[in-house]
Amino acid sequence: MKNILLLYGLVFLGATPRLVAQEKSTQTDLRYGKYLSVSTLLDYQGSKDQGVSPLIYRGLLFGGMAELGFEGTRWDIAIDGGVGVGESSVEKVATFFSETTTFFYNGRFLYKFWEKDEGKFDFRAGLHIGGYSSQRVTPAFLNASLAWESINTLFATGKLNWRTSHEQSAGKFLFIRQRAGTRHIKFSTQLSLPMLNSAWRPDYAYIDDFSDGESDVFNNNKLQFGGLRFHWRSDGYYYLLNGNVLRFTYLWDAQRSPGEINRLELSHHQVQLGMMIRLN
């Protein structure tokens, strides 16, 4: 896995100079457009699966995200997806490990309801559909060691944007040549509150010795509605003269599945660093 992550990082870094050093775009307003985004991610997660253990497992996931988005003067629409792979652990009498592969996906549809100072500040609101599906392998759970689960939520969401700009002189930063011109910068923060939350996960007690070779791990999963989930993210954008954008993202996602005995509590602290490539 380390070799794959290293290769991914080298490809990303190798492509970055060309993406940031292109000629100036002919677009009249670089703040709006259609984008294809590619990001690396680092995710610190904590989880407690009360169906099998009272212990809290913590660890890091490494991976990447891709996003197709449209940012206009009124609408803000984005669809993204990605994957994170890593290992969590907890240390008590002994050290227990859990290997996790998580698939993230989101769709956000927001409309501008308010603006001030000719778009320097604006507020947008709408719907956010967000979820993730995970495979967890925890050898210490024995015959409950393998679990597939999917958490999906319909949110009401609100986003506040602040835009500013400055004049950039010609020069060079590290290996990146900087051209003179106006640089746009945007900061945003978005809070999503749950309207409908669902959890599709094992219905413990998950007693199966898998000795017949025909057991289906999904047979023990059950779909439930309820619980809580909150999602908050903040982004910083640096617009280049060629129309592409450098973006840094911090994301916090916390959820608690329905039920008392078989409850999953899970949190994510995630950072992303990537490039938004202008498509128009």
Side-chain angles (χ1 to χ4, degrees), residues 34-155:
K34 300 176 183 178
Y35 297 93
L36 173 64
S37 305
V38 180
S39 305
T40 58
L41 71 82
L42 177 64
D43 187 292
Y44 177 76
Q45 70 167 10
S47 63
K48 181 170 72 172
D49 190 341
Q50 295 184 175
V52 287
S53 173
L55 302 180
I56 299 176
Y57 285 73
R58 294 184 174 90
L60 291 174
L61 303 180
F62 302 88
M65 297 284 291
E67 177 185 296
L68 184 61
F70 166 76
E71 182 181 9
T73 56
R74 291 197 174 276
W75 286 96
D76 190 339
I77 301 173
I79 299 174
D80 68 43
V83 62
V85 180
E87 188 176 74
S88 301
S89 65
V90 61
E91 185 172 349
K92 290 297 181 180
V93 178
T95 301
F96 305 100
F97 295 94
S98 178
E99 297 180 357
T100 304
T101 301
T102 300
F103 299 92
F104 305 94
Y105 39 88
N106 295 274
R108 294 177 291 273
F109 310 89
L110 297 94
Y111 181 79
K112 184 176 69 177
F113 288 93
W114 171 86
E115 73 172 8
K116 186 178 180 181
D117 295 340
E118 297 181 347
K120 182 176 182 180
F121 298 94
D122 72 54
F123 175 76
R124 306 182 182 212
L127 295 178
H128 170 196
I129 303 171
Y132 51 86
S133 299
S134 298
Q135 175 190 271
R136 291 184 294 115
V137 181
T138 312
F141 293 169
L142 302 177
N143 57 331
S145 62
L146 176 62
W148 277 92
E149 55 209 6
S150 183
I151 309 297
N152 299 281
T153 309
L154 175 64
F155 298 98

